Amino acid sequence: MICVQTQHFNLNRTLLLAIGLWPYQKSKLSRLQATLCFGILTSFVVFQFTALITTQCTADFIIKVFSSATFFSIYIINYNMFWINTHHVRNLLEELQCICNELKNENELAIFNKYGNNAKRCTSVLASFAICSAFIATLLPIWPQILNTILYINESQLQNQTIQFVTEYFVDQQKYFYLILLHVNAGICIGTITLIATGTMLLGCIIHACGLFTIAGYRMEQAMTTKIFENINLENRSICEKIFYAVEIHRKAMKFTDLMLSSFEGSFLLLIAITVICLSLNVFAIFRNALLGNKEAFILHLLFVLVIFLYMFVANYAGQKVLNYSTHIYSSAYNVRWYDAPLHVQKMILLILQRSSKTFSLNIAGLFVISLECFAMLTKASMSYFTVIYTMQQ
């Protein structure tokens, strides 16, 4: 028997345990861990916004603050999304395990296991990219010393190069420099783990849903094989049962996907809005720092943009795959030898065709259909806002 948690979501479990979000962990220590992680993320964003209180607010300064603050706000939304919906995450895993336990056919189990392994590989690749990005972000401010491109840097020069984020802690920043640096790096590391842990968890669920749609198509094809039609009079009941099982797994796949969407719908809408704003501001920051010759800030904002683009693309590509896989059972039902089947079987297939002809997709509040088209639309919107900001600054 396949254990979904340990075999397919093992790496996700490790990442979520690291930030106190694993739904099966309910100890006091885990609650303290979650509170501490959320507090670090929230305080880091708050201390960026407090700079607006003590500094004269010019248009450039406001954009500089918001470009980084909105990026880290994405971390907070993702963390809060899983923290307050712990029971929904647990329900998703239990629902997936129940579906897996009902699979008895070896070929169906092989399909399910194949997509589970695909989810593990995607998690590993994205986690590696996230670790590299976090490593660059934490070491970028002191890269001249690390690469030995200069012969000597005194402490004050190092501090000036290290604090890339505009913050206001209402203390002497030179005196508490290392504590502030620790807080910044902690925010980056916790945020990175949060983004990759929550993102890959949802991605893994979507990949498993694609596997369920594939199993539905496989069952439909097996129900209408040539071997069955060799003795059609004796196998009418068998055909009906197999078609029923195909429809049932298709229904469960759609139910599982709808459960995932309904659990996080509000957070998804907020994430879309913040991501579009963040991308616009950081693209502008890239152009602005390129003109000013600020290499460290340029690379930092470029890293932000790459992370946002990757996040948006992976999410929308996953939605596109669900859309494609959900139509697979339609093509399977359409291409089988339905004309050789008894009349009542043809009626069942007709119902399947009518049901499957309606495109099933990841629809968020009826506003966004997660797909590659949505990715292009959000990117276009971000570039439009960037153009407006850039024009206003001229």
Side-chain angles (χ1 to χ4, degrees), residues 62-82:
I62 293 174
I63 291 174
K64 184 177 182 180
V65 171
F66 273 83
S67 61
S68 61
T70 52
F71 181 82
F72 286 95
S73 296
I74 296 174
Y75 291 163
I76 296 176
I77 296 171
N78 275 275
Y79 196 98
N80 188 65
M81 176 175 67
F82 265 59

Side-chain angles (χ1 to χ4, degrees), residues 286-345:
I286 289 175
F287 277 82
R288 190 66 175 172
N289 285 287
L291 293 175
L292 297 175
N294 191 341
K295 296 180 181 179
E296 291 82 6
F298 172 83
I299 297 175
L300 186 64
H301 289 290
L302 179 62
L303 185 62
F304 286 169
V305 169
L306 290 176
V307 170
I308 295 169
F309 264 120
L310 179 63
Y311 186 79
M312 289 173 55
F313 177 78
V314 171
N316 284 281
Y317 182 76
Q320 182 69 47
K321 296 299 286 186
V322 169
L323 194 153
N324 294 342
Y325 274 92
S326 65
T327 59
H328 178 66
I329 190 171
Y330 175 82
S331 60
S332 298
Y334 185 80
N335 292 325
V336 296
R337 293 172 54 192
W338 54 268
Y339 45 84
D340 287 336
L343 183 60
H344 66 281
V345 175

Side-chain angles (χ1 to χ4, degrees), residues 168-230:
E168 179 54 68
Y169 288 84
F170 302 104
V171 295
D172 186 347
Q173 296 208 10
Q174 290 188 349
K175 182 179 180 180
Y176 297 98
F177 167 73
Y178 291 105
L179 288 177
I180 294 174
L181 182 61
L182 177 63
H183 184 241
V184 171
N185 289 337
I188 293 173
C189 293
I190 294 173
T192 302
I193 296 174
T194 298
L195 192 65
I196 199 65
T198 57
T200 54
M201 187 70 191
L202 295 174
L203 179 62
C205 290
I206 292 175
I207 292 175
H208 279 83
C210 292
L212 297 179
F213 284 122
T214 302
I215 293 173
Y218 169 79
R219 286 182 176 181
M220 177 58 65
E221 292 170 355
Q222 292 300 305
M224 307 295 288
T225 56
T226 304
K227 184 177 180 180
I228 289 178
F229 288 109
E230 291 176 355

